[in-house]
Amino acid sequence: MEYSFEGFIREDGTVGIRNHIGIICSVVCSSVVAKEISDKVPGTVPFVHGNGCAQLGDDFKLTKNMLVGISSNPNLHSALLVGLGCETNQISGLLESIPDTKPVKGIGIQQMAGGENTIKKGVEIAEQWAREAAGQERQRMPLSSLTVGILTADLDEDSLFKMAPVIGEAVDRLVHNEANVIVGLSKTLEPAGGLLSERSAREEVKNRLRVMGEGLQRKRWKEISTEAPAYQGFSEKERSQAVLEAEITGTSPIKSLLGYSEIPAERGVYLITVPGNIVEALSNMASSGCNIVMIVSSRGVLTGSAALPCMTITPKNQDDYFDELVDFRVGEGEVSDQAEAVIADLLEICSGKQTSLEKLELGEFSIPHIGTTF
Amino acid sequence: MKTFEGYRRANGSIGVRNHVIVINTAGELAGLTKKMAQLVPGVIPVAHQAGKAQYPEDLEQTIRTLRGTAGHPNVSAALFLGMGEGDPAEEIVSALKKDGHHVHAITFQKGQSISVVLNEGKLWLEKAMERSRNEQKETADITELTIGLECGGSDAWSGITANPAIGVCSDAVVRDGGTSILAETTEAIGAEHILANRAVNPGVGEKFLKIVKDYEMRIRDTGEDIRSANPTPGNMAGGLTTLEEKSLGCIKKGGNSPLMEVVAYAQKPAEKGFIFMDTPGYDVESVAGLAAGGAQIVLFSTGKGSPTGSPIVPVIKIGTNPKLYEIMSEHIDVNAGKIIDGLNTIEEIGEEIYRKVMEAANGAPTAAEKHNNQEFAIWRLAETI
């Protein structure tokens, strides 16, 4: 079967399934101004966060790269960067790093001599883009132009048992049709590292997954200087549940384990590092180029992503989920039929159908920390 | 004796504002927190991404900050939103209730209807707003006032104009029996000996030197040099050349009073007088810590022009140079640039700042409040798990 959807084509050939105008703050100090600009112009989405200054080394790079990634996400028609002026994360540095694929501009509060001027200027730019975006039409696109993220959240064994085979089959079909699939390597999936490592052809990826499967925990700063070992094994239950969760990655070879804001180099199935915070996990997926995320959960989650439609999938006949959040319920039928139905619903959302989280206007953005602020 | 009109809380503290807030304990609920606040005009959302997927020392700090924010004297009522089993919202709320605070927790459980929960929250908030409108002000003494001292977007004038003038105000508040908390451990690096010498006893001095040393070690242990991030690009454009230079200017905000106590981030001082709080140089996180530690008003000097405020405390902006005041007066409450122009002395600007503090304490909105600058972030110590 030939799968396709209707999306917005960008200048570099990537395809968006939404046509958002992103209003992105470079630092927490410009978050209120960015939010106000967005409030005044329909069609815009605010990307506000608490980072951007007094950061060092890798922690700072992560913040910068995530903002570059978000600005580059194909679901964004255009990106307006709003800065303060004196921050570590300079607008000029961001503008240099963002690939030239769409309208991108940067303004700063100090350069504009105050918040009021900045808001006025920002609204002017965003309104112009909103008019352009409204005139752009969706075009029929093949599945190969889509990048789908998968994030598990709060899954119990019973739910996994019902859903994993269906999601795994859907992933295989997506990959077979040359879509990209990026699966969040959650804390609960880590114990299956050994099993997943067998599906990678790259020695470096194999090793990293193997180490993860052994239960190596990251250290906290108190232990950095003392060199205290921080190994902690996984329980049998954690391991068996992880093996079940691994089924959602399907059966195709695992291309690589993506770092923060890393964009897949070729088509196929990828794993991506995600923190336990759902908003940060979704933000990371968005900055790695995902168009849409399937949230596989036994309850549904109370937040989506500012950049991406999030399709919530839960088991059917479960009475303890947030009913208003669910887009798709996995039931008892044939795995292949259900996988087909998942893809059909996914493609409808890609073509513009709103997800439950979009209808509730629940979409956030946040950047993880990998170090302290100063 | 200086006095002001404030809101007396059940635990005896006095607020200079009467805010009703909604605050989340899990990042997943940030969106719903903002949505909930929108349902009732006047309610302030305090949304953030801390609380889950954090190491123990971060979690502890997050909870201390949330408790301090909701239990702040400027807060009339606080609604907590929590998520699922084991969420700290109920525990924080029951501790605050014991202290007489008007607080409530809604913890989302699987299977609940979101619209029903939103409605429950709305009803509580409407009542809390009505309750806050009926609360009467009473006269309070300056000894019950705590100010926090902060600088952001510093330039070469900061240590010459605004910060020494803030120092004059800080000394005056302390002399009148109030409390003044200097913050930003980063910007004590290189100037720590000066403050340590002002410690009221050797114990306080040692504790102060220890937090500065720990701070620098923590940075060095991550393989980074603090001096590569501080001074920031903006500081350097403003004429600052080294962190030591920035620090020497920064600590001027603390005047010359003896250092009575050193407290942790978001910790309430036990002493009155001049206090130091261990916070990062990152303004918004530092101001959140000062507020959670009980400061009712924050003084904030800026050279480059930083508009940021706080969801719960009035932040008074003191501009360091005349050019800044000329172009960004909408964000500035006091123009310390007049010192450069020879129009006023440091002492006179210090007195002007003190007058602004009393005006703000009596309810006059600051520039940051007029522009709804309600930035909020909690100091992060370690990575997200």
Side-chain angles (χ1 to χ4, degrees):
Chain A
M1 172 175 174
E2 193 71 16
Y3 298 113
S4 66
F5 66 98
E6 290 190 341
F8 299 99
I9 189 153
R10 305 292 171 220
E11 280 169 31
D12 61 343
T14 59
V15 176
I17 62 169
R18 294 294 180 268
N19 220 19
H20 298 314
I21 289 140
I23 313 292
I24 302 164
C25 71
S26 62
V27 62
V28 67
C29 310
S30 51
S31 57
V32 167
V33 167
K35 176 80 175 37
E36 271 187 41
I37 295 171
S38 178
D39 283 347
K40 288 182 197 298
V41 189
T44 62
V45 176
F47 291 87
V48 295
H49 54 88
N51 300 33
C53 199
Q55 292 181 277
L56 284 172
D58 291 342
D59 187 47
F60 169 62
K61 270 183 223 150
L62 189 150
T63 290
K64 185 178 173 186
N65 290 344
M66 271 194 70
L67 292 174
V68 169
I70 280 293
S71 308
S72 314
N73 187 291
N75 285 2
L76 263 61
H77 161 275
S78 43
L80 177 64
L81 301 159
V82 183
L84 174 60
C86 53
E87 66 272 27
T88 309
N89 189 26
Q90 291 279 299
I91 291 284
S92 57
L94 288 169
L95 289 174
E96 270 168 34
S97 307
I98 298 169
D100 192 14
T101 62
K102 65 180 72 171
V104 178
K105 271 188 184 154
I107 51 176
I109 296 170
Q110 287 165 359
Q111 167 212 354
M112 300 294 302
E116 285 168 16
N117 289 339
T118 314
I119 292 167
K120 203 169 146 231
K121 180 73 185 170
V123 166
E124 206 177 282
I125 295 168
E127 277 177 344
Q128 168 69 24
W129 285 343
R131 279 192 292 273
E132 288 167 23
Q136 199 181 357
E137 281 182 18
R138 287 181 183 265
Q139 296 174 43
R140 178 93 8 218
M141 291 291 164
L143 202 60
S144 58
S145 41
L146 199 65
T147 301
V148 179
I150 298 179
L151 184 68
T152 60
D154 239 347
L155 275 171
D156 52 48
E157 201 164 353
D158 187 45
S159 308
L160 263 178
F161 197 76
K162 285 179 190 154
M163 294 195 288
V166 173
I167 306 300
E169 174 69 23
V171 167
D172 278 346
R173 289 183 189 202
L174 289 170
V175 173
H176 183 74
N177 286 277
E178 294 185 323
N180 260 341
V181 176
I182 304 181
V183 182
L185 183 53
S186 62
K187 208 168 56 177
T188 49
L189 185 55
E190 276 185 25
L195 180 75
L196 291 167
S197 73
E198 288 163 27
R199 289 191 17 221
S200 172
R202 286 171 54 196
E203 210 44 50
E204 180 244 339
V205 175
K206 269 178 183 300
N207 282 339
R208 279 169 63 198
L209 287 170
R210 246 185 244 132
V211 170
M212 228 167 248
E214 283 164 13
L216 179 63
Q217 301 287 307
R218 283 185 279 186
K219 295 174 182 183
R220 48 183 145 139
W221 63 262
K222 270 185 189 161
E223 286 155 355
I224 289 171
S225 52
T226 58
E227 286 302 320
Y231 284 93
Q232 204 188 315
F234 294 114
S235 69
E236 259 325 295
K237 188 168 179 266
E238 284 171 326
R239 286 188 185 281
S240 64
Q241 203 160 315
V243 169
L244 257 180
E245 190 175 332
E247 260 190 69
I248 65 164
T249 63
T251 55
S252 317
I254 287 168
K255 296 282 181 189
S256 182
L257 173 53
L258 300 175
Y260 283 107
S261 307
E262 193 180 338
I263 308 258
E266 46 178 345
R267 311 214 71 79
V269 174
Y270 289 80
L271 295 172
I272 189 169
T273 314
V274 284
N277 175 308
I278 291 166
V279 176
E280 291 176 2
L282 290 171
S283 302
N284 190 32
M285 287 182 150
S287 78
S288 286
C290 284
N291 293 108
I292 181 167
V293 173
M294 292 199 257
I295 296 180
V296 184
S297 171
S298 58
R299 61 166 168 96
V301 297
L302 293 157
T303 186
S305 157
L308 313 173
C310 293
M311 170 181 174
T312 303
I313 305 178
T314 63
K316 209 177 219 159
N317 303 326
Q318 182 136 341
D319 53 9
D320 58 352
Y321 51 54
F322 296 110
D323 197 39
E324 297 139 289
L325 296 176
V326 181
D327 295 294
F328 191 93
R329 290 170 184 84
V330 174
E332 310 285 326
E334 282 292 317
V335 166
S336 61
D337 292 346
Q338 294 202 71
E340 205 52 54
V342 167
I343 295 178
D345 197 39
L346 179 88
L347 292 176
E348 269 188 58
I349 292 168
C350 289
S351 298
K353 185 177 91 171
Q354 279 200 316
T355 65
S356 301
L357 282 164
E358 284 183 305
K359 282 182 204 151
L360 286 163
E361 295 179 319
L362 290 174
E364 290 292 306
F365 176 71
S366 180
I367 305 174
H369 272 295
I370 51 169
T372 179
T373 40
F374 298 107
Chain B
M1 186 60 79
K2 281 198 165 69
T3 59
F4 62 96
E5 300 294 307
Y7 300 91
R8 180 71 62 191
R9 306 299 172 200
N11 68 345
S13 65
I14 192 101
V16 301
R17 294 293 180 270
N18 214 24
H19 295 311
V20 175
I21 66 170
V22 193
I23 188 163
N24 57 312
T25 52
E28 186 179 339
L29 297 169
L32 276 167
T33 300
K34 295 176 202 163
K35 220 179 166 71
M36 185 84 87
Q38 275 170 7
L39 296 176
V40 183
V43 172
I44 297 175
V46 183
H48 59 92
Q49 284 297 325
K52 289 273 159 85
Q54 289 187 314
Y55 281 107
E57 63 264 40
D58 260 321
L59 206 51
E60 205 182 288
Q61 184 151 291
T62 296
I63 289 173
R64 188 166 69 239
T65 310
L66 298 180
R67 200 174 42 216
T69 304
H72 193 278
N74 289 359
V75 174
S76 167
L79 174 64
F80 271 88
L81 297 186
M83 177 73 229
E85 283 167 32
D87 190 278
E90 296 281 356
E91 210 183 308
I92 299 173
V93 159
S94 75
L96 287 169
K97 270 187 182 161
K98 267 188 208 141
D99 222 10
H101 295 287
H102 189 62
V103 286
H104 180 62
I106 296 179
T107 304
F108 280 84
Q109 302 295 349
K110 286 183 201 177
Q112 268 176 330
S113 156
I114 293 160
S115 39
V116 167
V117 174
L118 280 173
N119 201 44
E120 183 194 335
K122 183 175 175 236
L123 290 176
W124 192 87
L125 288 169
E126 277 170 349
K127 283 197 186 126
M129 278 304 283
E130 200 186 318
R131 182 182 164 277
S132 76
R133 274 193 290 268
N134 290 325
E135 285 175 305
Q136 300 297 318
K137 284 188 174 189
E138 64 172 62
T139 305
D141 194 293
I142 183 77
T143 57
E144 299 186 81
L145 193 70
T146 301
I147 57 169
L149 311 177
E150 179 68 33
C151 48
S154 297
D155 68 357
W157 291 113
S158 300
I160 297 167
T161 60
N163 290 355
I166 289 175
V168 169
C169 173
S170 172
D171 280 341
V173 167
V174 168
R175 200 171 46 239
D176 290 345
T179 301
S180 172
I181 313 176
L182 182 65
E184 301 182 284
T185 313
T186 331
E187 287 154 35
I189 295 174
E192 62 266 41
H193 55 288
I194 300 171
L195 281 174
N197 281 342
R198 275 167 45 200
V200 69
N201 61 48
V204 169
E206 276 157 31
K207 190 172 175 194
F208 175 70
L209 290 175
K210 186 176 180 320
I211 62 159
V212 177
K213 191 170 168 237
D214 283 355
Y215 207 102
E216 222 176 347
M217 285 308 293
R218 192 157 64 229
I219 300 164
R220 213 172 288 164
D221 287 343
T222 62
E224 303 293 343
D225 180 2
I226 174 69
R227 286 163 182 82
S228 68
N230 218 327
T232 67
N235 294 150
M236 289 190 264
L240 284 171
T241 57
T242 63
L243 178 59
E244 287 78 1
E245 192 177 72
K246 187 174 170 181
S247 296
L248 288 167
C250 171
I251 66 159
K252 287 235 164 82
K253 298 196 299 293
N256 296 301
S257 307
L259 179 62
M260 302 301 290
E261 190 186 3
V262 176
V263 293
Y265 181 82
Q267 188 193 340
K268 199 170 161 37
E271 302 290 330
K272 286 192 186 293
F274 179 55
I275 312 284
F276 191 90
M277 183 184 281
D278 185 16
T279 77
Y282 196 24
D283 316 329
V284 174
E285 292 181 350
S286 184
V287 170
L290 284 166
Q296 294 115 311
I297 292 172
V298 169
L299 304 183
F300 187 126
S301 70
T302 181
K304 303 295 292 177
S306 181
T308 60
S310 151
I312 59 165
V313 302
V315 174
I316 297 173
K317 285 282 158 55
I318 297 109
T320 70
N321 64 79
K323 173 108 190 289
L324 174 70
Y325 190 74
E326 193 185 304
I327 62 172
M328 276 174 95
S329 56
E330 69 188 73
H331 299 300
I332 307 295
D333 297 289
V334 176
N335 174 17
K338 286 187 285 186
I339 297 167
I340 302 172
D341 290 339
L343 298 170
N344 289 107
T345 63
I346 288 173
E347 284 68 30
E348 284 166 351
I349 296 296
E351 284 157 19
E352 184 182 337
I353 295 168
Y354 200 174
R355 282 197 298 277
K356 280 277 173 197
V357 167
M358 297 318 290
E359 281 169 28
N362 280 312
T366 64
E369 288 181 304
K370 283 181 202 154
H371 288 90
N372 290 317
N373 282 105
Q374 297 169 349
E375 295 81 356
F376 180 78
I378 301 170
W379 184 19
R380 286 299 293 267
L381 297 170
E383 64 190 315
T384 313
I385 299 173

